[in-house]
Amino acid sequence: METHVLIIGGGIAGLSLAWQLAPTVPVILVEAERTLSYHTSSRSARQMQPGYGPAPIQELTHRSIALVEQISAGLSSPILIPRHLMTLGTVAEVQALVAAHSSLTGLDQAQTMHRSPDLRPETFEAAALDETAHEVDVPALLDFYRREAVAAGAVFLTEHPVTAVEATGAGFTVTAGGHTIEARIVVNAAGAWADTVAQMAGARPRGLRPYRRSVAIVSTQFPVDPAGPMVEPADESFYYRPDGGHLLISPCESVLAEPGDAQVVEADIAQLIQRIDAVTTLGITGVVRAWTGLRTQPADGLPVVGMDTEEPNFFWLAGQSGYGIQTSAALATMAAQLVTGTLPDEDSALAAALSPQRAGLN
Ligand SMILES: Cc1cc2nc3c(=O)[nH]c(=O)nc-3n(C[C@H](O)[C@H](O)[C@H](O)COP(=O)(O)OP(=O)(O)OC[C@H]3O[C@@H](n4cnc5c(N)ncnc54)[C@H](O)[C@@H]3O)c2cc1C
């Protein structure tokens, strides 16, 4: 088999890049697991929050929301729905947040209670409200990327773990699932395994480390308002939001892990339930299901995107940390422009901030 671009990894990074590249160049995507998006991309909280993360992430999130709005408009049901974010704190904490982020509005305690009547008023003084935040139907978005890529001619091979990547001078010979694939360009979209894949190809690892984070869906004694906001404290030590008649909750842990099939630590969820019961009157009655995923990032917390100048034709699309869903559409657009040499000049500073050659990696 041969192709122009071989993408390693069938999570949201690989699928979104296939969507962007397939209309222009031949693409094969290989995924180790039996199903696409088995790892982190199916384990997120499904949020797109333009106020979350460092400046390059905020820019990519704004752009992605606009792109996903267009995608959503062409589908039979909307996949992007407003889900306001309320950050609770003291008056001073909320004033500081509102001063730092133009998208936030300050609410006093009564206004906050009006928007979320199940809060316990004695646990906060005020809130910062972000009305630009959204919830996204991630399975539908992943399916859109896959369908569009396949319609444009991309080939997806699941159960094809990459076990060898050998530079040939003109590109790479890749061994995946027992097959040999010749590729001009190899894209490393391997999530928690990105440094492992880089080493296989002879490229310098960039210090990408996976950190586990969990989410649980819980039932409650009193009904959850489906249109209610996502709620977090100012120190971002947990969050919760309505989810299909239940509550989606996360302890926001960030614990260094090995690449693999991350599993829930039940004590984390039990502790979190106590914390949320202390701030709301909803009364959590049980865990419906829970999952854990790996948020992978380098030391400076920004994604690693671009051609590796030390290992020619080896392209990085990794290290999206907790932002891989909310940035996928714009990041894939930029990555495809970098692969095809069509990046607009006005985006060169943004690309430099994410470059695998930037200082501070490894
Ligand atoms: C609890 C939690 C909540 C989150 N919430 C949000 C959120 O609300 N919003 C947001 O934007 N982000 C969120 N994230 C982060 C987001 O989910 C990730 O940034 C994103 O899914 C990363 O996508 P990926 O494609 O890089 O990785 P993955 O989805 O892990 O895909 C990488 C793929 O590469 C494959 N692979 C690895 N090695 C090989 C090999 N040798 N051969 C072939 N295939 C290989 C793996 O099997 C895997 O399928 C959250 C993450 C977690 C854990």
Side-chain angles (χ1 to χ4, degrees), residues 68-342:
V68 177
E69 267 165 358
Q70 284 173 23
I71 292 169
S72 188
L75 299 176
S76 51
S77 55
I79 63 168
L80 196 62
I81 57 161
R83 175 72 66 199
H84 299 169
L85 173 66
M86 277 200 332
T87 306
L88 308 178
T90 62
V91 169
E93 283 170 333
V94 167
Q95 278 172 349
L97 281 171
V98 171
H101 300 279
S102 57
S103 61
L104 299 184
T105 313
L107 302 178
D108 64 21
Q109 195 187 59
Q111 291 167 320
T112 309
M113 290 300 296
H114 180 68
R115 286 175 182 266
S116 195
D118 39 49
L119 281 168
R120 295 184 191 274
E122 67 278 15
T123 61
F124 69 97
E125 293 174 356
L129 177 70
D130 183 352
E131 292 181 302
T132 65
H134 288 77
E135 185 183 325
V136 60
D137 181 342
V138 173
L141 183 60
L142 291 167
D143 195 49
F144 169 83
Y145 290 149
R146 184 194 57 78
R147 272 190 288 112
E148 291 290 307
V150 169
V155 173
F156 285 69
L157 302 172
T158 51
E159 287 186 287
H160 274 63
V162 170
T163 47
V165 183
E166 199 184 322
T168 59
F172 295 90
T173 302
V174 176
T175 309
H179 293 101
T180 300
I181 306 170
E182 305 290 338
R184 174 93 182 87
I185 294 170
V186 161
V187 175
N188 181 4
W193 292 265
D195 268 354
T196 313
V197 164
Q199 280 168 308
M200 236 186 257
R204 178 169 56 87
R206 296 306 202 268
L208 289 160
R209 307 255 186 277
Y211 296 86
R212 86 172 144 76
R213 176 161 294 188
S214 305
V215 165
I217 305 291
V218 293
S219 50
T220 55
Q221 187 181 358
F222 298 104
V224 176
D225 174 6
M230 179 156 169
V231 176
E232 63 174 11
D235 66 3
E236 296 180 7
S237 59
F238 66 84
Y239 58 73
Y240 68 86
R241 68 160 170 81
D243 192 88
H246 297 298
L247 212 55
L248 179 151
I249 65 176
S250 173
C252 293
E253 83 277 32
S254 196
V255 180
L256 189 60
E258 289 297 318
D261 196 353
Q263 298 298 316
V264 174
V265 175
E266 279 175 22
D268 289 350
I269 306 296
Q271 252 177 12
L272 172 65
I273 289 174
Q274 284 181 359
R275 288 196 72 185
I276 293 179
D277 275 342
V279 297
T280 82
T281 54
L282 287 165
I284 295 174
T285 50
V287 177
V288 178
R289 62 181 190 281
W291 63 86
T292 299
L294 298 176
R295 299 166 15 127
T296 299
Q297 61 178 71
D300 65 10
L302 285 174
V304 178
V305 182
M307 202 58 91
D308 192 323
T309 54
E310 300 156 29
E311 183 59 53
N313 302 319
F314 187 76
F315 189 93
W316 292 79
L317 182 55
Q320 294 87 336
S321 186
Y323 320 114
I325 307 296
Q326 67 180 40
T327 58
S328 69
L331 207 49
T333 304
M334 200 177 91
Q337 289 165 341
L338 285 164
V339 167
T340 54
T342 56

Side-chain angles (χ1 to χ4, degrees), residues 7-55:
I7 300 174
I8 302 175
I12 196 162
L15 294 178
S16 55
L17 182 62
W19 158 63
Q20 278 293 308
L21 276 179
T24 318
V25 291
V27 173
I28 295 179
L29 181 151
V30 283
E31 165 55 48
E33 301 291 348
R34 253 170 119 167
T35 51
L36 295 168
S37 303
Y38 173 79
H39 288 286
T40 309
S41 298
S42 293
R43 307 181 191 204
S44 81
R46 307 188 298 275
Q47 291 294 123
M48 297 182 77
Q49 296 169 341
Y52 182 45

